[in-house]
Amino acid sequence: MVDIPNTYVVFKPLSLLEPDEKPVVISFLANSHQLSALTTLWYYEGGCLDNVIIAKGAGCHQVGVLAYREAEREDPRALVGLTDLFARKSIRKQLGDDVMTFTVPFRMFKQMEENVEGSFLQEETWETLLKTIA
């Protein structure tokens, strides 16, 4: 079980973390291309075919409660979120209509970061997709 004394949820860039803040999960805001890339990068660590899931729940459950439960698992799964229609309606003015979340335990995020060097993210296919995002 994840020991989380004085737990609170903060949404901010990692670069703005205070030294005493220890993330449990990381949530990405992602369009369809970015979601595909994050899913592919997640699978670099191996595992089964269902280690990226879309779980039923409110938007806050998908990036909070359910994500914290996954962080407790030995083999955690990534969670795709913002499938809750009420959440989508609420955030569309701020984020637009083509945004989902991709949430992973912080420890797995660090592994994903290590896998970037030499990965598909540095190849032509991803570079082409990046041009369509911009």
Side-chain angles (χ1 to χ4, degrees):
M1 185 163 168
V2 177
D3 180 24
I4 311 171
N6 302 318
T7 302
Y8 54 96
V9 176
V10 176
F11 285 96
K12 65 180 174 182
L14 286 174
S15 61
L16 298 180
L17 281 178
E18 298 296 330
D20 63 331
E21 293 177 318
K22 305 294 182 221
V24 175
V25 298
I26 301 294
S27 289
F28 297 89
L29 294 172
N31 66 30
S32 57
H33 297 321
Q34 294 162 332
L35 186 60
S36 296
L38 288 164
T39 300
T40 302
L41 192 59
W42 176 262
Y43 278 108
Y44 267 40
E45 288 303 315
C48 58
L49 295 176
D50 67 348
N51 59 354
V52 175
I53 62 170
I54 297 177
K56 182 182 184 318
C60 55
H61 285 105
Q62 292 170 330
V63 297
V65 175
L66 298 174
Y68 274 63
R69 285 187 189 158
E70 288 301 321
E72 294 174 347
R73 291 172 48 118
E74 185 176 328
D75 295 318
R77 299 169 294 186
L79 290 158
V80 174
L82 279 181
T83 60
D84 172 24
L85 295 177
F86 182 78
R88 296 203 63 74
K89 179 183 173 193
S90 297
I91 59 95
R92 76 187 306 189
K93 285 184 182 177
Q94 292 86 11
L95 302 177
D97 287 327
D98 187 33
V99 174
M100 304 292 281
T101 57
F102 187 85
T103 303
V104 298
F106 184 66
R107 63 188 161 97
M108 300 305 291
F109 165 75
K110 292 194 283 186
Q111 288 181 344
M112 289 172 69
E113 258 190 334
E114 291 174 12
N115 289 334
V116 169
E117 188 68 34
S119 76
F120 68 94
L121 292 173
Q122 298 176 333
E123 294 182 4
E124 184 272 330
T125 301
W126 179 243
E127 295 295 325
T128 301
L129 288 173
L130 275 180
K131 291 175 187 172
T132 66
I133 293 171

